[in-house]
Amino acid sequence: MFKINTIDGNTRMSTQDLLESINQALAEGETEFHIEASGQHDIGGPLWHPEGKPLKFYVKNAGQRVGSMCLPGTEIIVEGSASADVGWLNAGGRIVVKGDGGDTAAHCAAAGTIYIGGRAGTRSGSLMKHDPLYEAPEFWVLKNVGSFAFEFMGGGIAVVCGYDSEQFESVLGDRACTGMVGGIVYFRGKAKGISAKDTKILPLNQEDIAYLDGKMDDFLGAIGRPELRSQLTDWSEWQKVVPLSYDERPKKANTDIYSFRTQAWVPGGIFSDVCDDDFAVIGAITTGALRRRIPVWENGKYSAPCEFNCTASVPSQQRFNLLRDGKIDEAYRLVLEYTPFPGSVCGAVCPNLCMDDCTRKKVDISAQIGKLGQYSINVDLPKAEVKTGKHVAVIGGGAAGLTAAWQLARLGHEVTVFEADAKAGGKMEQVIPRSRLPQETLAREIARIREMGVTIKTGVHVDKEKFAWIRDSHDAVVIATGAHVTRVINWPGHERIVKGLEFLKAINRGERPAIGRRVIVIGCGNSGMDVAVGAYGLGAEQVTCIDVQRPAAFDKEMAHVKELGGEILWPVFTKEITAEGIITQDGQLIKGDTVIIAIGETPDLSFAPDSLPVERGCLKPATDYSVAQGIFTAGDTIRPGRLVDAIGAGREAALAVDAYLKGQSYTPVQKNKIPAGRMSTAYFKKCHSCDVPEANNDYTRCISCGTCRDCHMCLKSCPENAITRTVGANGAEYASDPDKCIACGICAGICPCGVWTMEPNAEPVKFYR
């Protein structure tokens, strides 16, 4: 129970502080509130319990708008009287005021119940309304109401009991029920001044009596006056006010609107001095320039969540669309326009960020995007038909460098890659375990890069002198040497640490680095898990992985290590490395014969000119990936990251180089993710995991966010047949005929892909002179 007194000495709590206190208590699970108020307003408004439990308020000295916008499940009991606007816009709550209710009680109430145990003031019950989808609002007053009560009432039930009101000429006040068009007002006693042009007074029928009799006990019990039942249930003293029907209302003479506007109102029209008015009456449904909104087919304007999340910007929704159309080879080739490593990275070691935010997850599970890359391993693209005669050097044969080389060769440039290792592939070849990245997949994809015309020279160590030669003999240079210097923290005993990167490289070369029976791995990212698996493969009996923060490795990689018997501990802060293992900051000893560190790497830029911009050990390029005239960079030399990040940067760097060689400027394209609310997932049937097809057949589940899937739904749903479909070089295209379109928005509402949208009509309408 939450209790609060809003007066502390001579200090009064503000309304804002009181409401914030109530909200905080509600968030902590409170359901019962006892409030000693001092005129604060809006107490008990639109609140709901996080678990859906009913809420109950006991309030003294309430201010204005007690129970305003009150929701179902909330009950408010006010001891004594309340100020104006009791239950304003009540949306379903039960509000009991044991005293008077003030002006505009139940104003605009749309649902729920409001009981007043005294009198209610001016305009009480005005603008009450009833949504047929919900129970009608109910408003009961023990005594009488003030003037203009139930003004413009549109629905609901009001009951004025007329107790202790014999001295008044009308228990409904003056000019009651003016403009009333719906609902019903029951009253007991005298009533004068009720609008005769809008309403009529009738005696009660049996249905009316049954309602009042059935509800009277609840009302009197709530306000604490059950003894009045017999006095208030003499139904001969009761009447009701109901609105006149349309046929019953007085009618005015029917005047031609054109004649009225041009003759009776103002000759020539009220704005005839500034505009040309054709005096045409614009209907509720229009076409052409008079539409307030127009449909726009925005195919491809936004990136799907998969494309937006992919740092290589692979448009997977387009791949699925091509598969849906039976263009299988074209679908498998499309990915090669963005990455030369669909099998090695997308289909094997990528975390598949594309699947994290897939719209399909709102229906069941993500579309199987990652495995789709495996179908492009053996696909080829044609070589460039036109050669530019430009020569580009790429220093570094890893993911970023080979991607840049691939893209530049496709653009017609002569490309030479200089790689220091005996094999190209960077960390894909040197570090990632063969169990995660099959060597034959990587070999096939590197061979495809060579087949595109890229020359790869391995075993080339680039120093400052070699770099100067490369720069002088090529039209442009891309630095993509990666990050191969293992980070080692200078703890006491750090000389005992084995560098994780060198450890993994040795294993991939077929060597068997010497390790002890108990191995400690510092760092619980994916590299740390690779080290742990490698240690077990070399005969380690126990591997303990530690980190200062929550492990960043994929769940499946950590699960694999645990299956092998490994232990993952965090947070653990290292203090010293000893022959017995690691001593932590809190003095504990983690026993180990070998300590291997895998907390990240930094690039070796010793070969680069000193004039290149460097920040925190990495190159700092301009927005076009350049670090000097004709020199560009990509991948881990900018910021160590994932392979897919390096691929995306390599492609962007290649496009920047191409623009430079053409004498043009380059600005990376900014991706805009399609708003989630634009897709309509109701079109798609939920499936279970056992029903999910293989990736190359998952195109029926792909929602094709932001890209038209040519489903014809808009075409078939348009009530005016305003939409047309044509097929051109870019596939199917849709358009809306402005002379037929009524701007109903059905096309935008039904489109599962979010391609159609409704925009304000910007077409000018000639009106003013």
Side-chain angles (χ1 to χ4, degrees):
M1 181 172 63
F2 175 80
K3 297 182 69 173
I4 189 169
N5 190 326
T6 62
I7 295 290
D8 183 8
N10 293 322
T11 303
R12 174 185 177 272
M13 177 181 283
S14 70
T15 292
Q16 180 176 345
D17 289 343
L18 173 59
L19 297 184
E20 287 180 354
S21 298
I22 292 171
N23 284 329
Q24 179 62 35
L26 182 62
E28 294 171 357
E30 290 291 349
T31 59
E32 186 173 321
F33 302 82
H34 292 253
I35 301 172
E36 291 275 356
S38 48
Q40 290 88 355
H41 54 77
D42 291 294
I43 297 173
L47 302 172
W48 54 90
H49 189 273
E51 298 176 8
K53 295 179 181 179
L55 305 177
K56 197 158 188 174
F57 286 80
Y58 297 90
V59 185
K60 293 182 180 179
N61 303 316
Q64 288 181 284
R65 296 194 298 276
V66 62
S68 65
M69 295 184 280
C70 197
L71 296 177
T74 298
E75 180 177 9
I76 303 172
I77 300 173
V78 179
E79 296 292 340
S81 299
S83 187
D85 298 326
V86 171
W88 176 65
L89 279 172
N90 187 19
R94 176 183 167 94
I95 305 168
V96 178
V97 178
K98 294 187 177 181
D100 294 333
D103 291 340
T104 55
H107 180 64
C108 293
T113 301
I114 301 172
Y115 289 157
I116 304 294
R119 308 186 195 280
T122 300
R123 286 197 165 89
S124 290
S126 60
L127 288 170
M128 284 179 65
K129 48 193 166 289
H130 176 210
D131 185 334
L133 295 177
Y134 302 92
E135 293 294 327
E138 297 176 283
F139 175 41
W140 284 59
V141 180
L142 178 63
K143 297 183 180 180
N144 63 307
V145 295
S147 298
F148 308 107
F150 313 111
E151 186 178 41
F152 302 113
M153 184 177 181
I157 301 171
V159 181
V160 180
C161 297
Y163 172 74
D164 188 24
S165 301
E166 293 79 10
Q167 67 273 35
F168 297 104
E169 290 187 350
S170 173
V171 296
L172 299 183
D174 187 32
R175 296 187 63 187
C177 303
T178 300
M180 181 178 179
V181 294
I184 184 169
V185 178
Y186 296 105
F187 67 96
R188 172 181 168 273
K190 297 178 292 184
K192 291 185 178 180
I194 298 175
S195 173
K197 66 177 183 178
D198 299 309
T199 62
K200 59 186 175 182
I201 299 177
L202 300 174
L204 304 189
N205 58 33
Q206 290 302 313
E207 185 179 350
D208 298 324
I209 294 171
Y211 165 75
L212 293 169
D213 189 57
K215 197 77 174 181
M216 186 66 73
D217 289 336
D218 184 58
F219 169 60
L220 294 176
I223 64 173
R225 301 299 300 271
E227 75 278 4
L228 299 179
R229 191 184 206 288
S230 60
Q231 182 178 346
L232 299 180
T233 52
D234 181 354
W235 305 121
S236 64
E237 299 176 346
W238 287 81
Q239 300 178 81
K240 65 180 178 181
V241 182
V242 296
L244 295 175
S245 67
Y246 175 80
D247 291 334
E248 293 173 323
R249 292 176 182 269
K251 304 293 190 298
K252 294 181 179 180
N254 190 11
T255 304
D256 173 72
I257 191 67
Y258 179 83
S259 299
F260 172 76
R261 292 182 64 185
T262 57
Q263 300 173 21
W265 193 24
V266 177
I270 193 170
F271 299 116
S272 58
D273 58 331
V274 293
C275 65
D276 296 313
D277 194 345
D278 59 6
F279 300 103
V281 177
I282 300 173
I285 299 176
T286 61
T287 61
L290 297 179
R291 295 170 297 167
R292 297 194 61 175
R293 302 182 305 161
I294 57 172
V296 181
W297 193 65
E298 295 183 328
N299 185 36
K301 178 179 178 179
Y302 294 97
S303 297
C306 56
E307 179 182 352
F308 183 83
N309 282 5
C310 175
T311 50
S313 299
V314 178
S316 294
Q317 77 280 14
Q318 293 185 28
R319 289 194 283 170
F320 280 126
N321 281 349
L322 291 169
L323 289 171
R324 187 183 300 111
D325 292 340
K327 300 176 182 178
I328 299 174
D329 291 339
E330 190 175 341
Y332 294 162
R333 287 196 301 269
L334 177 62
V335 69
L336 297 179
E337 296 181 14
Y338 299 85
T339 171
F341 299 110
S344 301
V345 179
C346 300
V349 297
C350 184
N352 296 135
L353 305 176
C354 52
M355 297 171 63
D356 288 348
D357 196 24
C358 176
T359 305
R360 182 72 203 197
K361 291 174 71 173
K362 296 179 181 178
V363 181
D364 37 49
I365 62 175
S366 172
Q368 302 303 290
I369 302 170
K371 295 180 181 179
L372 191 59
Q374 297 175 357
Y375 295 92
S376 298
I377 293 173
N378 294 311
V379 176
D380 292 304
L381 289 182
K383 293 183 178 181
E385 295 180 359
V386 179
K387 296 293 184 178
T388 65
K390 301 292 185 179
H391 295 259
V392 182
V394 177
I395 304 176
L402 291 176
T403 299
W406 165 261
Q407 299 293 357
L408 287 165
R410 292 184 57 238
L411 292 167
H413 305 299
E414 297 293 333
V415 186
T416 302
V417 176
F418 298 93
E419 167 58 45
D421 198 70
K423 288 185 176 182
K427 290 180 179 177
M428 294 183 290
E429 165 63 34
Q430 302 165 21
V431 177
I432 297 176
R434 307 298 189 212
S435 59
R436 287 213 291 140
L437 175 51
Q439 193 168 20
E440 58 272 19
T441 298
L442 180 61
R444 167 67 186 97
E445 295 188 325
I446 292 177
R448 178 169 52 203
I449 295 172
R450 283 193 168 100
E451 291 164 6
M452 185 57 69
V454 176
T455 300
I456 302 177
K457 296 183 178 182
T458 57
V460 179
H461 177 73
V462 177
D463 53 17
K464 286 186 179 294
E465 183 179 351
K466 184 72 172 180
F467 181 86
W469 174 83
I470 291 173
R471 183 178 185 180
D472 291 340
S473 55
H474 293 81
D475 297 296
V477 179
V478 178
I479 299 175
T481 50
H484 290 267
V485 180
T486 300
R487 290 179 58 207
V488 178
I489 298 177
N490 194 26
W491 293 300
H494 69 275
E495 63 277 0
R496 298 176 179 273
I497 293 177
V498 176
K499 296 178 180 180
L501 197 64
E502 301 306 319
F503 177 76
L504 291 172
K505 286 182 177 182
I507 292 176
N508 271 19
R509 288 194 299 266
E511 302 172 7
R512 295 186 62 82
I515 58 171
R517 293 186 302 107
R518 294 174 300 186
V519 175
I520 301 172
V521 180
I522 302 175
C524 292
N526 287 324
S527 295
M529 297 303 106
D530 288 342
V531 169
V533 172
Y536 274 118
L538 294 173
E541 296 178 5
Q542 174 62 43
V543 178
T544 303
C545 302
I546 65 173
D547 209 320
V548 297
Q549 60 187 3
R550 180 184 293 275
F554 305 155
D555 290 341
K556 65 179 181 179
E557 304 302 333
M558 291 191 287
H560 185 203
V561 171
K562 290 178 180 178
E563 288 172 2
L564 296 173
E567 187 177 13
I568 299 175
L569 304 176
W570 67 278
V572 176
F573 297 89
T574 301
K575 180 179 180 181
E576 183 179 357
I577 314 296
T578 69
E580 289 75 30
I582 287 179
I583 299 175
T584 66
Q585 290 286 358
D586 55 8
Q588 295 185 21
L589 172 64
I590 301 176
K591 294 183 178 180
D593 307 309
T594 304
V595 178
I596 307 176
I597 192 166
I599 60 172
E601 299 82 32
T602 58
D604 178 5
L605 300 174
S606 58
F607 65 90
D610 296 336
S611 59
L612 298 188
V614 175
E615 184 176 80
R616 296 181 181 179
C618 297
L619 291 174
K620 185 181 179 182
T623 55
D624 65 351
Y625 290 84
S626 65
V627 289
Q629 185 172 353
I631 303 177
F632 300 79
T633 187
D636 288 354
T637 51
I638 301 174
R639 181 177 59 252
R642 297 160 299 206
L643 290 172
V644 66
D645 301 334
I647 290 170
R651 179 173 180 268
E652 292 289 342
L655 296 176
V657 170
D658 181 63
Y660 167 76
L661 295 175
K662 294 176 180 177
Q664 302 169 352
S665 60
Y666 178 74
T667 302
V669 176
Q670 295 296 316
K671 295 186 291 185
N672 293 308
K673 184 167 69 171
I674 188 167
R678 290 182 60 157
M679 274 75 71
S680 178
T681 57
Y683 174 78
F684 299 91
K685 179 182 177 181
K686 183 175 183 178
C687 69
H688 301 287
S689 58
C690 57
D691 300 326
V692 176
E694 292 297 320
N696 63 331
N697 287 316
D698 208 16
Y699 49 78
T700 57
R701 295 176 61 250
C702 172
I703 293 173
S704 188
C705 309
T707 306
C708 181
R709 60 188 288 138
D710 197 24
C711 64
H712 296 206
M713 290 184 66
C714 58
L715 189 70
K716 296 177 180 178
S717 301
C718 179
E720 302 299 317
N721 294 320
I723 295 176
T724 56
R725 174 183 179 270
T726 57
V727 179
N730 297 320
E733 297 181 0
Y734 289 80
S736 176
D737 184 347
D739 293 329
K740 294 182 179 180
C741 173
I742 60 173
C744 63
I746 290 176
C747 53
I750 204 170
C751 178
C753 316
V755 171
W756 283 102
T757 187
M758 301 298 294
E759 292 185 353
N761 189 355
E763 184 177 352
V765 177
K766 185 174 178 357
F767 185 67
Y768 292 101
R769 292 175 181 167

